[in-house]
Amino acid sequence: MAARMIATLPSPVAADGPALDNPALQLRGLAEAVNELQEGILRVVFEPDAKKQLRLFSVREAARWLGLSVPRLRDVCAETGLVPEEQRSMGPRGGLYLSAEQLRAVRSRLADKAGRRGSAARRYRPGREGAERPQTVASMIFKGGTGKTTLAVHLAQYLALRGYRVLLVDLDPQASATTLFGINPAVAVADHATFYGYVCGERRFADLVLPTYWPGLDLVPANLSLALTDFEIAGRAKLNRRPIHGYLSEALDEVRDGYDVVLLDCRPDLGMTTLNALLAASGVFVPVTMGQLDIASMGEFFRFSAFLLEQLPELGLPAELLALDFVKLVINRFDPAQAAQAQVRHWLLARMAGWVVETPMLQTAALGHAGAQWQTLYEYEPDEGRRRAYNRALEALDAVCFELETILWRAWGRPGTPVRPLAETGVAE
């Protein structure tokens, strides 16, 4: 593979040499080399079939997601037969392991036993009910490097493990969320298989939805074609006089009723695609890192967003289209050992109380180890030497996602809070 990659690249020139003779050829060669590198990583990391699959969950992990003791979960598996007896010692380290499909099946069985309504049933089947509308939540800010995708993907997987029906829409032409699900956007995603295909009128939005290897979690993928979406929207506004703002709302109307939560991973700008996401959303999570330049950028994001929304009533938009149930700042990539970061967080909480999610999303070594293998923290399974650090990182991530889940419950008008996931250290054999 390395030899082929080297062969596809035109020879670079020295840093102090003449300008590149054919920059487009050089950049094309670099793009092809990166694509072959990605394919090679898929073959090595996800062997033998170069396809990403979700690992099994130990009985301790499954129990903490279901809020059961380990003995009780063992009894449920034995009573229901949802986990065959011959599978109960087939895990990587022996003992009882459950697939994500089996975990959801056990959750569904427990919910059925608890009844269709009430707090006991909601503990196992927490998704929307009755008149509750699907929550459409955008992860957005127009500065890169703040962790929009990290937040969106981890929250999507957390909610799926909690029993919600989740759709993740990747609206970023960088397609990082798509890549995290083991899909090479340059090879495995056609241009019309993205939101761009819907805007062009080539595809129904419902046809873009892909099931993932996470039960309960679907994906609308992205690739570089999304960089053209704003031009397409502008062109259609000029030629057909179609308004620029309603594409994503109308697209989601095709599928929204099949989900409890729709998450939008937005591109780092405030173009027409992001405006569509803002108007389609019922709530917004704004990830921000604790640097003073990042805070300044966040202020400009809010200022420009307000400017755009203030112009829209002149276009005759209904008031409900401009309504949001919540806007919350999520402190991301936080290192409490850094005094400067701690100080900025203190100022932010003091000045914007009520707008900031109090639990920060920590920058941890475990998150880095998972990312190096194209995995999230919920997919990663550390070796025993890193198990304790991983458990601490997981509990910190759970705490953030639990607070975000609680915000969704309040948007639904529910009293109280969801049942908190058990800490790994609190699940006793």
Side-chain angles (χ1 to χ4, degrees):
M1 182 182 73
R4 290 203 309 274
M5 282 193 296
I6 292 171
T8 62
L9 281 174
S11 301
V13 297
D16 56 353
L20 299 177
D21 292 334
N22 190 335
L25 181 62
Q26 295 279 340
L27 294 173
R28 178 67 64 184
L30 288 169
E32 292 173 357
V34 170
N35 181 56
E36 289 201 28
L37 177 62
Q38 284 183 295
E39 290 296 298
I41 291 172
L42 282 170
R43 286 193 292 271
V44 171
V45 175
F46 305 122
E47 62 178 351
D49 56 2
K51 183 178 180 181
K52 197 170 180 183
Q53 297 178 333
L54 187 56
R55 65 178 176 85
L56 298 174
F57 292 90
S58 73
V59 64
R60 293 173 62 88
E61 292 175 302
R64 85 182 192 86
W65 284 113
L66 293 167
L68 303 176
S69 68
V70 169
R72 174 60 182 142
L73 178 55
R74 291 186 187 278
D75 290 343
V76 171
C77 290
E79 292 166 3
T80 62
L82 293 171
V83 181
E85 186 173 354
E86 60 270 19
Q87 186 187 317
R88 294 176 201 167
S89 60
M90 292 174 59
R93 298 188 301 274
L96 175 61
Y97 277 71
L98 282 74
S99 68
E101 291 88 349
Q102 289 167 332
L103 196 155
R104 286 182 74 87
V106 171
R107 180 186 293 281
S108 180
R109 185 67 63 87
L110 290 169
D112 289 341
K113 188 175 181 180
R116 299 300 300 177
R117 312 212 27 115
S119 59
R122 185 173 280 170
R123 173 178 181 175
Y124 300 113
R125 188 180 284 122
R128 64 189 180 87
E129 55 188 37
E132 294 174 343
R133 64 172 181 167
Q135 285 295 322
T136 303
V137 184
S139 175
M140 64 167 56
I141 191 170
F142 65 21
K143 185 182 186 301
T146 60
K148 287 185 295 75
T149 298
T150 300
L151 175 65
V153 174
H154 278 94
L155 179 58
Q157 293 178 351
Y158 167 91
L159 292 173
L161 284 169
R162 295 280 276 169
Y164 297 87
R165 300 167 299 166
V166 184
L167 173 65
L168 175 61
V169 182
D170 192 349
L171 295 172
D172 190 342
Q174 297 177 86
S176 297
T178 300
T179 303
L180 269 175
F181 281 93
I183 301 172
N184 186 338
V187 173
V189 182
D191 291 348
H192 288 158
T194 70
F195 178 57
Y196 174 71
Y198 173 82
V199 172
C200 290
E202 297 289 336
R203 300 283 295 275
R204 294 177 63 249
F205 191 78
D207 296 335
L208 306 178
V209 176
L210 302 177
T212 71
Y213 53 89
W214 279 81
L217 173 53
D218 294 338
L219 172 72
V220 173
N223 70 6
L224 193 58
S225 67
L226 286 171
L228 303 175
T229 306
D230 283 7
F231 297 104
E232 186 71 24
I233 292 173
R236 288 173 179 268
K238 184 175 182 179
L239 293 175
N240 306 329
R241 298 192 178 279
R242 179 172 178 177
I244 64 172
H245 60 267
Y247 285 87
L248 189 56
S249 292
E250 293 169 10
L252 290 174
D253 285 342
E254 295 183 15
V255 300
R256 213 181 323 238
D257 285 345
Y259 299 96
D260 302 309
V261 182
V262 177
L263 292 168
L264 310 175
D265 183 28
C266 299
R267 50 199 287 177
D269 60 31
L270 269 176
M272 295 182 192
T273 302
T274 307
L275 174 63
N276 269 261
L278 184 59
L279 293 175
S282 56
V284 179
F285 290 139
V286 181
V288 59
T289 52
M290 292 296 93
Q292 295 193 37
L293 290 177
D294 300 299
I295 297 295
S297 176
M298 179 181 66
E300 294 305 304
F301 167 76
F302 286 132
R303 187 173 293 110
F304 192 56
S305 298
F307 169 77
L308 286 176
L309 294 180
E310 287 165 354
Q311 309 309 307
L312 293 176
E314 297 180 7
L315 301 177
L317 268 66
E320 57 267 22
L321 191 61
L322 304 178
L324 289 170
D325 291 336
F326 58 86
V327 175
K328 293 289 184 178
L329 310 185
V330 183
I331 298 172
N332 209 353
R333 297 182 176 174
F334 181 64
D335 182 355
Q338 297 291 324
Q341 288 193 32
Q343 181 64 70
V344 173
R345 177 173 178 263
H346 173 75
W347 289 336
L348 194 67
L349 288 169
R351 179 65 183 84
M352 302 180 70
W355 294 94
V356 184
V357 174
E358 292 191 9
T359 307
M361 194 166 181
L362 301 182
Q363 181 67 46
T364 62
L367 199 58
H369 294 315
Q373 299 184 38
W374 287 19
Q375 293 179 330
T376 66
L377 210 56
Y378 291 125
E379 297 171 323
Y380 179 60
E381 187 169 27
D383 56 43
E384 288 306 313
R386 292 174 174 162
R387 174 68 60 177
R388 185 171 297 179
Y390 168 76
N391 287 344
R392 290 196 299 269
L394 189 64
E395 289 173 21
L397 177 60
D398 282 351
V400 179
C401 291
F402 175 77
E403 193 167 345
L404 302 184
E405 182 188 7
T406 301
I407 292 168
L408 297 178
W409 274 44
R410 290 172 182 161
W412 276 320
R414 295 178 176 180
T417 61
V419 176
R420 186 181 294 273
L422 295 172
E424 174 74 12
T425 52
V427 181
E429 291 281 0

